[in-house]
Structure formats: structure tokens, C-alpha cells
Amino acid sequence: MNRSDVIVVGAGISGLTAAWRLALAGRQVKVLEANKRVGGRTLNHSFASGEVVEVGGQWVGPTQERIHSLLSELNLSTYPQWNQGDNLTLFGGRLKPYRGTIPKFAPHVLLDVLQAHVRLDRMAREVPLSDPSLHPRAELWDSLTFAEWLRRNVRTATGRKVFELMCGAVFAASPHDLSFLHVLFYIRSGNNLDTLLGVEGGAQQDRILGGSQRICQLLAERLGDAVQTGEPIRAVRQSDSGVDLISDRGVHQAAHVIFAIPPTQLLRITQEPLLPSWRDQLLQRLPQGAVIKCMALYDKPFWRERGLSGQATSELGPVRLTFDNSVPGSPRGVLLGFIEGDEARQWNARLSGDRRTRVLECFARYFGDEARHPIDYVDKSWAEEPFARGCYAALFPPGLWSSGAARLREPYGRLHFAGTETATHWMGYFDGAVEAGERAAREVLGARDDRGEEDYVRHLGIA
Amino acid sequence: MNRSDVIVVGAGISGLTAAWRLALAGRQVKVLEANKRVGGRTLNHSFASGEVVEVGGQWVGPTQERIHSLLSELNLSTYPQWNQGDNLTLFGGRLKPYRGTIPKFAPHVLLDVLQAHVRLDRMAREVPLSDPSLHPRAELWDSLTFAEWLRRNVRTATGRKVFELMCGAVFAASPHDLSFLHVLFYIRSGNNLDTLLGVEGGAQQDRILGGSQRICQLLAERLGDAVQTGEPIRAVRQSDSGVDLISDRGVHQAAHVIFAIPPTQLLRITQEPLLPSWRDQLLQRLPQGAVIKCMALYDKPFWRERGLSGQATSELGPVRLTFDNSVPGSPRGVLLGFIEGDEARQWNARLSGDRRTRVLECFARYFGDEARHPIDYVDKSWAEEPFARGCYAALFPPGLWSSGAARLREPYGRLHFAGTETATHWMGYFDGAVEAGERAAREVLGARDDRGEEDYVRHLGIA
């Protein structure tokens, strides 16, 4: 019989971590991945000239202990995100250089941004990570969008634009997409705003040698034949004795199943019995963010010669945020730009060639005409990915935390739920994916299994 | 070959109207319904003693010209919602009788409610029905939840509770679920607040003899073998030459397909090619409302003897809104109660028996101890319905109209989209379902069909 102890659906970081922990604990595990590749929302791209860059998630940073410990386990090295030279900022029609994290705004704008920054951090510190709806002011905060909070609490137009940009960078969303309570939760989940936004000392500090998809590729290598790609699950049948997963090619049986896929993807799998209505209704309200990640390859990182870091933030789109994404060991230079939120949604309707032209115009606006002539170009709109349909992660709209979203990580019989959206620390990041995968693995190890044995005792030694 | 000119997916009012219009225009049409019954979000229930009531949508009212003209076409009669005697209101811990639509609040509360009512109507009048995002203040209004607008603009706690109750009654939602722009759109779509909320002269004015599901049953009878129930569509393959619809039992082919299902249900059907990402992302953000409709049957409508109308509004849940739902020709009485929004979501987790006890307690609170002892009881939680997963209709969260939700009614190649959520007038109501169905039928009739003929000319004579 084609039966496993545990089947993990989804071969991203969360799913493969869960599978690997379970395999280490001696469970017979299988991983079913819908795409023809592993990696989930990480994806390497090789330029024709050989440079490997990431068109999906790419950074790790301090306090992300779970992903760092996984990286060492896999012997993967990190290297610092390029962060030397002047950053650029384009607000009020003028391009200005600056050092560090704070652009040279007029004093009243600076004060405005800083007071909001401090207040966000202060409120975020109080939000309980296990369930933000337990905060005494949760109901109020969860009935506000981030856009409305900004409108009420950031007095200058430039200040509001800065936070809109920040919202795009952190959430791949526009401020009206998000519950203010969720924004506070997310800030706390990633420590504080400086950590979320920063390069050195922040969530954009380090990159992974060989590209972040290596994490999943190496985990998949260790799991060997247990990982099956190109196997989208269409239906789930759960009974007292086990779970059947139906793909286009056949039926897979398991005692337990861990779903490690974006929340909205769960809706697309027929469930028998139906998921409880409270869970289905929560999933209906958990859309993915929208981001188009764009990279141009040049003969050399020409901006460095002019003392520029490659980092730009701008009030003009479609690319409002850039980085130097050059790769160690190559003389060539890579500029990386993001299109986020509503702007990404609008650009999703356009052709890729059209996008390329506009993206290069943005690069040229920040780094000069040389940027118009790359030797290669790639972009990826994650809303177009068939089994993600958006990135970086799910967006929590007003009211969601208040109607029990913390329960999404509860098992349902033999079904368990991982994925970075079910994490408490670093939700939306690699680290959250690892947390969620390890938590789901622990649940399965602690569960009464189909052989009637109770092994609540045996847990992995993971904090 | 098993090929039709047009296949309609979904045998609710919208889908069957589309199919019937197309059949009248001479098209070979097929209707595929996932449930084993037609009716969509209408559903009759027969008590053991024979009375037929509706556990789904039930009312029609003035200005709903499309549904009224369909009712006459089907020779269905309407009768007035029972509306004689005193209404009851329970706010501030006291149960008070009143006549008409406005409870006897303290003058300052009354003034507070009226000023908000007038302002909502005034703002709503300006919202363009074809696309609310075209209003000059759309961005602002779409970044606010209805909850936040109420907090800022209704000064008394009782006033806010009245509007929360109104929000439940009209949307089956809590105020934090909804974009304020959508609330304004919806008010205009149903004329004004008085029309949305009223019995005489309003959207709750009339009932349909034999129960509202008769609409679909009669349309299905006329369509005969063209309607196939118990046929959930799992996948769609669209090509230049036509569309394949794959169910559990086989493949259906058509030149055009009309989806007349709730927006969130579209996500659950595998699409090839993928739906454009802008559309998929919009669908991810269109959850269904949550409502549990509860009815108790009594020997007689005992409240009438005490001069009560059977209508109660209350600050105490779970049932905050009731009606006399007795049926003509029967001496027995029926009380109808609604549980809405977050409260419905919470109660969805509980067992039906538990619900019954609490619902009857609510009825007794309003109408006396006699209400504790019905001869029969029925309730229906629409979030539990496998192919609706919520009612009455989709909830538009902040930002959705701004990111192009008006485009949801655009065809995608040979796929067309009906359902009350794609209507401009009376969205969320039977009338909107008819509008959407007729519009989709016109699209198909106007489309270049697979036989290479152009018949943009031939349209149905529907306004």
C-alpha cells in the first residue's frame, strides 16, 4: 500500500523542514509538491552568463535563529547584502544621497516620520504574538486599516509616502489592504521596525551563497525519493483511520498530513469532510500580497564607482525600492527593483516586455542612463505563479485577527497546518516558515497515531 | 459530441435566468449545478406539519423591477411580509414597543442615528454604480472600514449599536469586515438606507408564495433536461475553439461558459489557462458573509394576540433581529431570527442543538416564555453549505474597489461572470442576480461565437 506516516503538501522551506524533522525522528514521510521544482516562494534564476540570483525571497537577518540554525545544518553560508556607498532617495522631485537608514528630509518631515516610527514600535511591543486579538485595544486596532492610521497620525504628505513605501517593502501590499492590528503584530513578530526595514542589523542583512532556493534543494536531496514534484493535490479525504490525498495521478495515503502552502491555496483543494466553516471563512479572507521582483544584469556594478550603494527609495513608481543584488565571484553588477501592492496588481495586466522598459527607466532615473542597457533582465510576478498566486505572504485585512485567525494553526483531526503564515515569530519570513514547519512536525510526533500508540512523550528537542 | 452553445455553472437565480434567456434566444444551453438541488442561495424547507419556509433568501421589494418581471413571467405571486402590531427593541437593557421603522430612543440618540442615516444616504447618492472607485473621494472612503466610520461619526454607543445591527441585517457582516466605500455603493445599489432596511416600501416588503426557491425550480422545469444537478465542476480548460468543463463524472464542452457562483467558489475550480492574476487576486479578497437563519414553528402566532408584529431588534445576541415568518393558509406561527457576522462565525463552531436552545432563549426574551416551546425548529448556517460557504453575498474589504473590482464582470475569453456580486443595482439581492444573469446572457449573444459568425447585433430586449 502507498501509505506514509506523514505526507507534507508543499516543498517550500516550511514543508521541507517539517518533513526533515519527521524523517530524523524516524517517521516514514512523503512530500508532495505541485510545482515541478521545490522551493515554494524561493526560486533561483541563472542569468545566461552564469550569475545565480533569486527571483523569490532572498534575505536572512539577525534574531532569525531558526533559519540560521537550519542553514548551518545544511552547511550553507551567508554573505552580507552589499551596503556600501550612498543610498538615494527621490521625494519632492529631487534625488538626494544619504547614509544609513534615514533619508535627509526637512526637519518637520523627519520629526513626523520618527514620531510615527516610535509610536508604531511602542504599540507593537504590547501585541501578544500568539494571538494579537487578546490585546485590550485589539478590537479598535483591528477595525482600522493601516492607511487610515497613517492618515490620522502622520501629518506630512512626504511622511505618509515614506510609510506607504515601507508598507510595500515589508508586506508587498498597499496600506488599505492591511489591518492596523496586523501591522503591529508583524512589527513585533520581526522585533521592531528598524529590524524589519534595515540592512545591517536588519531583515535584509545577509544573503545565502548559491541562492536561497538551495535551502529547499538541499533538504530535498536529503529526503531523496520521499519528495515528489509535479504532483498537485486536488482533493483530501480524511477518515478515522487516515487521510487520502488525491492528485491527478493517483491516491496517496497517510496517517497525518501537514499542509505547508499559502492559506488561499487550501481553498483550492476539495475537502472531505469539508473544513469547518470558521476555518473556510478565515481562508476566504487571507489573500496573498502582490510583488513583481525585477533584476537587470550589467557588465559591472557601475553605480559603485560613483559611490552609490544601489539602494534607492522613491515616491515615483513603478519601481520604488532598489538594491544592489550583485553576486560574489562575478565582475558583473545586478540591480534589483520591487513593484509592490496595488501597483504590482496593475502591472500584472501588462506584458513582460513593457514591464522591462518601465523598470529600466526607473533604474536610469536613480542610477543614470547606463542602467538603460543591461546585458540581461529577469522579472517575476508572484501573483502569476500557479500555486502561490501572490507573495510574500498572506495579508490580514481588518477584522481577521478578531474573528479567530490565531486558530488557523490548530490541527483539524489528522490535518496540520504549517507555512510562514502560521508562525508567531518572523511571520512572512523564512524564519517563520521554519518555526511553523517545526511546530507542525512536533504536533504530528505528539499526536496519537494510527497504530493506536500514544507518543505524546516523544518530541523533537526544538525550542 | 457532448457540446453545448453555452454552459451555465450554478443553478441559482442568476445562472438559471441567464440560461433561460439564452434558451429563449434559441441557444442550446446546459446548466451544471454542484448541489443535488437547484436554488443556489434560496432554499425552501418544509416543516413536518407542511408549512414551507425559506432557510435562504426570501424577500423582494419595490424598485426591484427585474426580479418582479421574472416573477410574473413565472406566474409566481407575492404576499406582504407580516407587518402589523408593535415592533420591539431591546437597547440599554429595556424592551420597548414602537411603531414604524424608528425605535423610541432618547432624543440625543435619535438625533445621532438620524444625522448618520442622512449623511450615509447623501454620500451614497454620489457613488457611481458601474465603478465606485471613480468617485473623487473613493480612495479615502475605500481605506476606511465601516467600523471606523461609525466610531468617528456616530457619537452615542447606542447609535453605533443600531448601525452594527443594521450592518448585520443588510450585509451578514460586522462593520470591520467592510470597506466604507462598499457600504455607500451598496446603499446606492439598493436605492437608499430606508429601502434597504424597510418592510413596507423596502427590501423586506414581500414574500413569494410557495417559497423563493420556486423561482429556480420553475426556471429549471422550463429548461428541463438541460439542468443537471449533483455535478460539481472541478476544472476548466479554455482554448481558442471552446471550453471543456471537467466534473467528477466527465467532460462537458461548450462555446461559452457563464459562471453564476459566489466569487470565492471560482477559486476552487482549477483553471487552464490560469485566470489572469489581477482577477485571481481580487477573488482571494472577496469572502462571503456569515449568517445563520433560524426558525421556530408554534401552534399559533401567539405574539400577534399581544399586539406584537414579531419584529424585534436587540443589542443582545446571538439573535438580534427577528420577523414573523408565518405562512399563509396555516394557523401556525413562525418566528424567524438571524445570527450575523462575527457572531455567526463564532456560533458556526457549535452544535445545532446548542444553537436551538440559545435561539429560543432569544425568542423568549422578546416574545415571552411561550417561545421556548416550539413544535418544530430549523436553522441553517450558510457558511457550512459546501458550494456557498457563506451568505448573503461577498463582502468587499477596504481597497478592493480601488484595485479594480469593477472589472470582475468583464469576460475572460469564452468565460463570462454572473452572480449577484457582479450586479450594479441591488447587488447581493435576487434583483441583482437577475441583472447579472441577463447581462451575461447578452454578452454571450453578442459574442463572436465558435462558428465564426458575428452576431453582435442580436441582443435580447432587456433594459
Side-chain angles (χ1 to χ4, degrees), chain A residues 143 145 177 284-285 288, chain B residues 143 145 177 268 284-285 288:
Chain A
S143 71
T145 63
D177 296 332
Q284 291 178 35
R285 299 159 77 195
Q288 291 293 103
Chain B
S143 72
T145 63
D177 296 331
R268 305 174 200 236
Q284 291 178 36
R285 298 159 79 195
Q288 292 293 104

Side-chain angles (χ1 to χ4, degrees), chain A residues 433-452:
Chain A
V434 176
E435 180 202 298
E438 293 180 340
R439 189 254 312 137
R442 277 199 307 277
E443 277 169 18
V444 170
L445 291 173
R448 210 178 286 252
D449 77 7
D450 63 333
R451 288 159 297 178

Side-chain angles (χ1 to χ4, degrees), chain B residues 390-412:
Chain B
C391 265
Y392 324 127
L395 309 177
F396 286 53
L400 198 82
W401 279 117
S402 303
S403 28
R407 291 185 65 193
L408 279 171
R409 64 180 81 96
E410 272 182 22
Y412 173 49

Side-chain angles (χ1 to χ4, degrees), chain A residues 115-398:
Chain A
Q115 63 83 20
H117 186 125
V118 167
R119 290 177 66 194
L120 286 168
D121 270 345
R122 202 173 50 216
M123 287 186 277
R125 268 200 301 276
E126 301 170 4
V127 172
L129 286 181
S130 60
D131 185 354
S133 74
L134 299 176
H135 190 278
R137 305 193 73 192
E139 201 179 311
L140 174 65
W141 290 344
D142 204 24
S143 71
L144 272 183
T145 63
F146 189 34
E148 177 62 8
W149 187 87
L150 292 174
R151 207 171 70 82
R152 298 265 173 197
N153 294 280
V154 181
R155 288 169 202 89
T156 60
T158 303
R160 284 193 293 274
K161 281 181 194 165
V162 168
F163 281 99
E164 279 161 26
L165 188 67
M166 177 280 262
C167 184
V170 172
F171 293 96
S174 298
H176 57 207
D177 296 332
L178 295 164
S179 158
F180 181 59
L181 179 64
H182 184 62
V183 171
L184 296 178
F185 161 81
Y186 215 74
I187 293 171
R188 166 102 199 272
S189 178
N191 293 348
N192 55 50
L193 261 182
D194 275 339
T195 317
L196 281 181
L197 297 169
V199 176
E200 271 173 51
Q204 287 68 235
Q205 179 176 285
D206 293 307
R207 299 176 61 191
I208 292 158
L209 207 65
S212 57
Q213 198 187 2
R214 292 294 294 149
I215 301 167
C216 291
Q217 287 165 344
L218 289 175
L219 283 168
E221 276 172 32
R222 295 195 178 188
L223 287 158
D225 291 343
V227 181
Q228 299 179 22
T229 56
E231 192 75 3
I233 297 305
R234 306 299 184 188
V236 178
R237 283 193 216 115
Q238 187 180 185
S239 71
D240 287 346
S241 58
V243 186
D244 286 357
L245 294 180
I246 296 100
S247 76
D248 295 341
R249 286 185 284 185
V251 179
H252 302 267
Q253 297 192 314
H256 292 274
V257 170
I258 296 174
F259 287 103
I261 57 181
T264 180
Q265 290 301 318
L266 257 174
L267 290 179
R268 307 176 199 235
I269 299 175
T270 305
Q271 302 274 351
E272 200 184 308
L274 287 178
L275 290 179
S277 57
W278 64 263
R279 188 187 294 271
D280 193 284
Q281 286 228 325
L282 289 174
L283 295 173
Q284 291 178 35
R285 299 159 77 195
L286 270 170
Q288 291 293 103
V291 57
I292 308 175
K293 199 177 177 190
C294 313
M295 274 172 280
L297 179 74
Y298 301 93
D299 278 335
K300 53 181 183 183
F302 58 86
W303 52 92
R304 293 187 188 175
E305 293 165 8
R306 291 166 41 210
L308 298 176
S309 67
Q311 289 167 48
T313 49
S314 169
E315 64 181 349
L316 296 178
V319 171
R320 294 167 193 266
L321 181 67
T322 70
F323 287 92
D324 178 332
N325 222 32
S326 309
V327 172
S330 160
R332 282 172 278 272
V334 180
L335 279 178
L336 159 63
F338 289 100
I339 308 176
E340 318 261 23
D342 280 344
E343 209 154 21
R345 294 185 188 119
Q346 287 151 24
W347 278 85
N348 278 336
R350 309 209 195 179
L351 297 176
S352 180
D354 193 15
R355 274 202 312 241
R356 177 189 153 122
T357 309
R358 286 299 304 280
V359 168
L360 295 179
E361 276 169 19
C362 292
F363 287 169
R365 188 197 290 151
Y366 311 132
F367 304 107
D369 271 350
E370 235 173 315
R372 288 184 199 276
H373 310 289
I375 52 179
D376 208 343
Y377 173 86
V378 64
D379 65 23
K380 177 133 202 101
S381 170
W382 281 86
E384 287 162 13
E385 273 286 293
F387 301 103
R389 306 249 63 177
C391 265
Y392 324 127
L395 310 177
F396 286 53

